[in-house]
């Protein structure tokens, strides 16, 4: 029986329970730490059971399966990506609050153990990069990009569903690590030799390896899908230089995903071979060289920074143009700057090695390359400011995020130029100054951009606007909370406080850590405000409904269809003749026209391959973490069988009849005829039903 349980459970034992240590050694320190972990595990289990109970109570399993889980509609897949991102954001913010709370009382001690603190900063970084930022930008591009280029769906709809499944499986594995502990303490970068078997023999590093691997495989497939869609699926007349800037950033992001993600997949695979099969790629003996891992990681890591930033730049380009009431200033220079940033992102990875012993010539070359990347970024900042110059600016929630981004991102960019100097970087590289810079780029740059896009396109996705009162509270809280939480870290870094420090013995650090802790609480309130904004928006959605689909007087194609759009996006593929096609149509009074004729539309059929791959990839990864080889083999065979079975499926599409398309479109046009148009001045009122016109068009007086 013992042998049977050894085979069945692998190395999974009672010590994996979050409260086991405090039962074995009930010291005050263990009780505090294990109570925190047990509470988190209980929340995960309770949340999952509650969700299952609610779906069962309301009898929505069939709807969930048919309309969402097996759907290959790019819009629904995009929404599910963003749902994952928000769930993981909540966990990562709570972990950040615990870390800041520990450092606020960290003078001489604190309440977290070094191992627990190490898990916090490892899971926080891993989640924010791989399971918040990546799903958020992937979901946003998934939803908006096909609409903006006049396509019906992505090039490979089923692969899109598999990409979602892999990301969801990786996120689920990270969440399970709260219930069956522990996670890695090796940070989000997973540097060996600390993450090698002799130094970290438990399951924690394996959780990290397989969750990150699932994420990178998902992103690689997503990059291929996005790039092929933009190259091959654009509407007639949608030349590359007529594409919205959000689509340009989506294209460059896709290329970065294709070439930037594989190095990390290779690195985690080789690290797994070191741990599982006693290879010596990155060990400290028998020919291993950990610098090979570091090169592979940052060959991914620095393009990854721009994978995160560029989609946000695309969002801000749309926001500044729309809410300034102007065409974007310097379109061609913004395109060139976007391409330049993408190209230069592959030339700067060695600035992470300024303290690792290479000669001064190498450091100088990569220092110069790092400074050069600030030039196209500066071009973007000036173009956005010139777009606002003499514009009719509406100070919406999205503009609050956008203007906050410009101010804070410039500060972060200047600190990046400082760190591009190897001699300065050598002094502050392993201090909180670097943590402040990194967050100063990604929080205003990436997160504010995604939240701006969330507020901007939410009415398009769901047919009603988000609550403004809680939206403004969230936006200002994010901005103020960020400044309070991270600006003190610049000072702490210059004072010499090392990063990843669970405790300290220098009294001069304390006032600054307390301010940073208070800032984390403000950020927590910002997260609460986002939840309240969504709750109130759903509750009063009838008052803010915008079924016509254009609540902001938009300029691009996605605003030319209903909210939410039909599955097929457009009754007929549009013909593009300008850079802002929908604004041009509205200005000429030619928007919302009937097609000359309706035709049957062929759309991809639902597929169960996505849910199957979710369970298969999760079970394979879980089995690898705990050495349950029977589970690895069994789940792998199920996945292979599913792929083979899919190859025999012949009905991979379904046809939406021309009559159904005509009926749907005519009902929408009839609704437009009964709706009063509004100008930008009235877009925040309940009279805004999504039928906006430019104030100088003469359509509304």
């Amino acid at each position: 029986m013992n042998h049977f349980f050894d085979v069945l459970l692998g190395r999974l034992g009672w010590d994996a329970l979050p409260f086991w240590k405090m039962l074995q050694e009930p010291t005050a320190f263990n009780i505090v730490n294990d109570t925190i972990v047990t509470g988190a595990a209980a929340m995960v289990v309770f949340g999952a059971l509650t969700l299952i109970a609610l779906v069962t109570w309301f009898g929505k399993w069939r709807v969930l399966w048919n309309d969402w889980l097996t759907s290959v509609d790019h819009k629904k897949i995009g929404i599910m990506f963003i749902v994952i991102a928000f769930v993981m954001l909540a966990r990562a913010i709570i972990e950040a609050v615990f870390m800041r709370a520990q450092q606020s009382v960290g003078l001489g001690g604190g309440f977290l153990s070094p191992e627990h603190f190490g898990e916090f900063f490892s899971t926080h970084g891993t989640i924010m990069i791989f399971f918040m930022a990546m799903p958020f930008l992937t979901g946003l591009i998934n939803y908006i990009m096909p609409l903006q280029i006049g396509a019906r769906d992505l090039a490979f709809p089923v692969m899109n569903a598999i990409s979602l499944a892999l990301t969801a499986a990786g996120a689920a594995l990270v969440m399970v690590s709260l219930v069956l502990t522990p996670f890695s303490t090796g940070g989000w970068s997973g540097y060996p030799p600390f993450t090698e078997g002799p130094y970290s023999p438990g399951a924690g590093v394996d959780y990290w390896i397989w969750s990150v691997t699932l994420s990178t495989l998902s992103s690689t497939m997503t990059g291929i899908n996005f790039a092929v869609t933009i190259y091959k699926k654009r509407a007639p007349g949608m030349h590359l230089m007529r594409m919205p800037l959000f689509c340009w950033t989506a294209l460059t992001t896709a290329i970065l995903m294709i070439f930037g993600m594989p190095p990390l997949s290779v690195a985690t695979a080789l690290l797994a071979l070191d741990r599982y099969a006693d290879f010596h790629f990155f060990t400290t003996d028998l020919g291993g060289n950990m610098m090979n891992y570091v090169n592979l990681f940052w060959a991914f890591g620095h393009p990854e920074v721009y994978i995160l930033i560029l989609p946000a730049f695309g969002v801000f380009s749309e926001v500044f143009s729309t809410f300034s009431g102007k065409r974007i200033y310097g379109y061609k220079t913004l395109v060139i700057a976007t391409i330049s940033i993408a190209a230069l992102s592959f030339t700067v990875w060695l600035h992470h090695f300024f303290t690792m012993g290479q000669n001064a010539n190498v450091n100088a070359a990569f220092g110069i390359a790092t400074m050069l990347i600030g030039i196209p970024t500066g071009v973007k900042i000036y173009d956005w400011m010139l777009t606002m110059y003499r514009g009719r600016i509406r100070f919406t929630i999205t503009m609050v995020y956008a203007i906050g981004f410009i101010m804070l991102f410039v500060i972060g960019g200047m600190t990046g130029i400082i760190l591009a100097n190897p001699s300065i970087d050598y002094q502050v590289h392993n201090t909180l100054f670097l943590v402040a810079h990194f967050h100063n780029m990604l929080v205003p740059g990436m997160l504010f951009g995604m939240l701006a896009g969330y507020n901007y396109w939410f009415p398009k996705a769901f047919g009603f606007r988000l609550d403004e009162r809680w939206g403004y509270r969230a936006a200002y809280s994010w901005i103020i909370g960020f400044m309070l939480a991270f600006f003190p870290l610049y000072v702490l870094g210059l004072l010499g406080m090392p990063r990843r420090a669970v405790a300290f013995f220098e009294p001069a650090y304390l006032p600054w850590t307390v301010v940073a802790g208070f800032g984390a609480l403000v950020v927590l309130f910002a997260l609460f405000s986002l939840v309240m904004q969504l709750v109130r928006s759903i509750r009063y959605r009838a008052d803010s409904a915008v079924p016509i689909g254009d609540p902001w007087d938009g300029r691009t194609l996605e605003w030319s269809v209903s909210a939410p759009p039909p599955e097929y996006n457009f009754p007929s593929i549009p013909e593009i003749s300008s850079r802002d096609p929908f604004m041009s149509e509205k200005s000429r009074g030619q928007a919302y026209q009937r097609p000359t004729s309706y035709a049957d539309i062929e759309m991809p059929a639902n597929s169960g391959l996505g849910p199957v791959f979710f369970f298969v990839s999760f079970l394979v990864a879980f089995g690898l973490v705990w050495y349950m080889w029977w589970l690895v083999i069994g789940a792998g065979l199920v996945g292979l069988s599913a792929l083979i079975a899919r190859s025999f499926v012949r009905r991979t599409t379904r046809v939406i009849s021309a009559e159904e398309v005509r009926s749907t479109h005519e009902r929408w046009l009839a609704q437009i005829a009964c709706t009063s148009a509004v100008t930008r001045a009235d877009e925040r009122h309940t009279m805004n039903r999504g039928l906006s016109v430019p104030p100088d068009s003469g359509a509304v007086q």
Side-chain angles (χ1 to χ4, degrees):
M1 287 298 296
N2 287 337
H3 178 68
F4 171 76
F5 282 114
D6 286 342
V7 173
L8 181 67
L9 299 178
R11 58 175 171 174
L12 180 61
W14 293 109
D15 58 340
L17 294 174
F19 49 80
W20 187 253
K21 190 173 183 179
M22 72 177 179
L23 293 180
Q24 300 299 108
E25 302 175 36
T27 64
F29 205 56
N30 286 342
I31 290 173
V32 169
N33 281 269
D34 282 13
T35 299
I36 294 171
V37 179
T38 304
M43 289 178 64
V44 171
V45 174
F46 178 76
L49 293 176
T50 301
L51 181 61
I52 292 171
L54 288 174
V55 175
T56 304
W57 177 266
F58 290 105
K60 296 297 184 181
W61 283 111
R62 184 183 297 274
V63 173
L64 184 63
W65 178 260
N66 291 332
D67 293 350
W68 291 92
L69 298 182
T70 61
S71 173
V72 294
D73 183 354
H74 71 96
K75 298 180 289 298
K76 291 182 177 179
I77 289 175
I79 290 170
M80 288 187 280
F81 265 116
I82 294 173
V83 169
I84 292 171
F86 271 118
V87 171
M88 302 308 282
L89 174 65
R91 176 180 168 183
I93 292 298
I94 293 170
E95 289 175 336
V97 170
F98 272 104
M99 286 190 287
R100 287 288 169 258
Q102 162 63 27
Q103 291 186 327
S104 296
V105 296
L107 183 61
F111 62 93
L112 291 179
S113 68
E115 293 78 14
H116 196 182
F117 187 81
E119 289 177 44
F120 269 136
F121 73 71
S122 298
T123 52
H124 173 78
T126 301
I127 287 170
M128 289 297 278
I129 297 295
F130 297 104
F131 299 110
M132 189 286 294
M134 293 301 293
F136 212 147
L137 68 90
T138 300
L140 212 57
I141 296 173
N142 236 306
Y143 197 103
I144 298 302
M145 179 267 289
L147 285 165
Q148 286 196 334
I149 65 172
R152 299 209 185 278
D153 208 319
L154 293 185
F156 308 114
V158 176
M159 188 165 80
N160 196 23
I162 294 173
S163 298
L164 171 67
L166 294 177
T167 292
L173 194 65
V174 175
M175 297 302 281
V176 166
S177 72
L178 278 174
V179 181
L180 298 173
T181 60
F183 197 76
S184 172
T185 58
W188 80 279
S189 53
Y191 275 15
F194 182 77
T195 51
E196 293 283 350
Y199 300 93
S200 298
V205 175
D206 299 316
Y207 269 127
W208 180 85
I209 287 173
W210 300 117
S211 61
V212 167
T213 300
L214 290 172
S215 173
T216 56
L217 292 175
S218 168
S219 296
T220 303
M221 290 194 296
T222 295
I224 294 169
N225 214 343
F226 287 167
V228 174
T229 301
I230 292 174
Y231 285 138
K232 305 296 287 184
K233 292 283 197 175
R234 301 192 307 276
M238 179 64 77
H239 310 314
L240 287 175
M241 295 307 290
R242 285 179 180 168
M243 285 200 310
L245 282 162
F246 182 74
C247 294
W248 267 108
T249 59
L251 176 59
T252 51
T253 299
I255 295 169
L256 291 178
M257 285 179 175
I258 294 168
F259 291 101
M261 290 295 170
L264 183 58
S265 299
V266 171
T268 54
L270 297 181
L271 183 60
L273 286 172
D274 277 7
R275 291 179 59 83
Y276 285 81
D278 202 27
F279 280 49
H280 295 277
F281 291 109
F282 311 128
T283 59
T284 54
D285 59 356
L286 298 175
N289 185 349
M290 70 162 287
M291 283 304 298
N292 291 334
Y293 177 91
V294 178
N295 271 284
L296 284 170
F297 182 85
W298 288 112
F300 142 82
H302 215 82
E304 169 68 8
V305 171
Y306 295 98
I307 289 172
L308 304 181
I309 290 291
L310 284 174
F313 285 177
V315 172
F316 290 129
S317 296
E318 303 295 324
V319 167
F320 283 125
S321 177
T322 298
F323 293 109
S324 298
K326 291 175 58 181
R327 294 183 68 177
I328 193 74
Y329 181 89
Y331 174 90
K332 291 183 180 179
T333 60
L334 283 166
V335 170
I336 294 169
T338 299
I339 297 171
S340 300
I341 289 171
L344 287 170
S345 70
F346 287 101
T347 69
V348 297
W349 86 96
L350 225 71
H351 69 211
H352 295 275
F353 305 171
F354 282 164
T355 63
M356 294 184 181
Q358 65 267 23
N359 64 46
N361 292 332
V362 173
N363 283 352
F366 282 87
I368 292 168
T370 304
M371 293 180 187
L372 284 176
I373 209 167
I375 296 174
T377 307
V379 168
K380 285 178 170 286
I381 297 293
Y382 281 111
D383 280 346
W384 289 327
M385 291 193 296
L386 288 167
T387 299
M388 291 188 286
Y389 180 65
R390 290 187 174 178
R392 287 172 284 193
I393 296 173
R394 293 109 78 197
F395 208 61
T396 59
I397 298 167
T398 50
M399 280 295 279
V400 173
Y401 282 115
I403 293 171
F405 149 77
I406 281 188
M407 294 185 295
L408 296 174
F409 191 79
V410 167
I411 295 171
M414 289 191 296
T415 60
I417 298 300
I418 291 171
L419 289 169
N421 186 318
S423 59
I424 297 176
D425 182 88
Y426 194 89
Q427 300 298 317
V428 300
H429 182 78
N430 210 36
T431 70
L432 286 174
F433 189 94
L434 191 65
V435 176
H437 160 72
F438 183 72
H439 287 83
N440 205 161
M441 301 300 290
L442 289 188
V443 175
M446 187 274 161
L447 185 57
F448 285 12
M450 294 300 101
L451 292 175
Y454 165 70
N455 281 272
Y456 182 55
W457 281 303
F458 185 96
K460 174 56 58 180
F462 295 100
F464 58 93
R465 291 175 287 120
L466 285 168
D467 180 78
E468 291 200 348
R469 180 179 299 178
W470 281 101
Y472 282 115
R473 289 172 183 170
Y476 287 120
S477 296
W478 277 112
I479 294 169
I480 295 168
F482 165 80
M483 290 190 291
L484 289 173
F486 292 102
F487 282 5
L489 303 193
Y490 284 120
V491 180
L492 286 166
L494 294 176
L495 289 174
M497 184 173 178
R499 52 181 171 159
R500 309 187 188 98
V502 64
F504 52 89
F505 299 94
E506 174 56 62
Y509 298 162
L510 187 60
W512 302 100
T513 60
V514 171
V515 173
F518 177 72
L521 293 177
V522 178
V523 169
L524 188 63
F525 177 76
L527 179 66
F528 170 76
S529 298
L530 285 177
V531 175
M532 289 300 299
Q533 180 192 28
L534 182 60
V535 170
R536 284 188 60 84
S537 301
I538 294 173
R539 184 177 180 182
Y540 299 106
R541 60 188 178 276
D543 295 334
S544 57
V546 287
I548 309 306
D550 181 29
W552 313 127
D553 192 18
R555 311 181 70 84
T556 43
L557 280 179
E558 74 270 26
W559 304 111
S560 67
V561 296
S562 62
E567 179 187 357
Y568 44 83
N569 292 345
F570 304 95
S572 61
I573 297 298
E575 296 275 349
I576 308 303
S577 59
S578 67
R579 195 170 288 158
D580 292 324
F582 186 47
M583 180 58 70
S584 299
E585 289 179 357
K586 288 190 292 185
S587 299
R588 297 193 303 265
Q590 297 175 350
Y592 311 115
Q593 298 296 309
R594 286 176 173 80
T596 54
S597 63
Y598 295 93
D600 292 347
I601 296 175
E602 188 176 76
M603 296 297 296
N606 281 20
S607 171
L609 208 57
V612 169
F613 260 79
F614 167 76
F615 287 108
V616 164
S617 54
F618 172 78
L619 292 175
V620 167
F622 185 81
L624 287 167
V625 168
W626 293 106
Y627 296 178
M628 298 177 182
W629 306 118
W630 62 270
L631 184 60
V632 175
I633 295 170
L637 289 174
V638 170
L640 180 61
S641 301
L643 279 177
I644 294 172
R646 172 69 187 181
S647 69
F648 287 95
V649 173
R650 291 294 175 262
R651 296 183 62 183
T652 58
T653 61
R654 65 186 186 88
V655 175
I656 301 174
S657 68
E659 177 57 30
E660 182 180 345
V661 175
R662 187 200 64 78
S663 175
T664 301
H665 193 59
E666 292 291 336
R667 283 198 305 271
W668 179 58
L669 292 177
Q671 193 173 15
I672 293 173
C674 299
T675 301
S676 299
V678 296
T679 59
R680 296 164 185 164
D682 297 320
E683 68 184 15
R684 297 168 66 181
H685 298 161
T686 55
M687 69 178 70
N688 181 5
R689 313 305 284 180
L691 182 59
S692 294
V693 293
D696 54 355
S697 68
V700 174
Q701 300 295 335

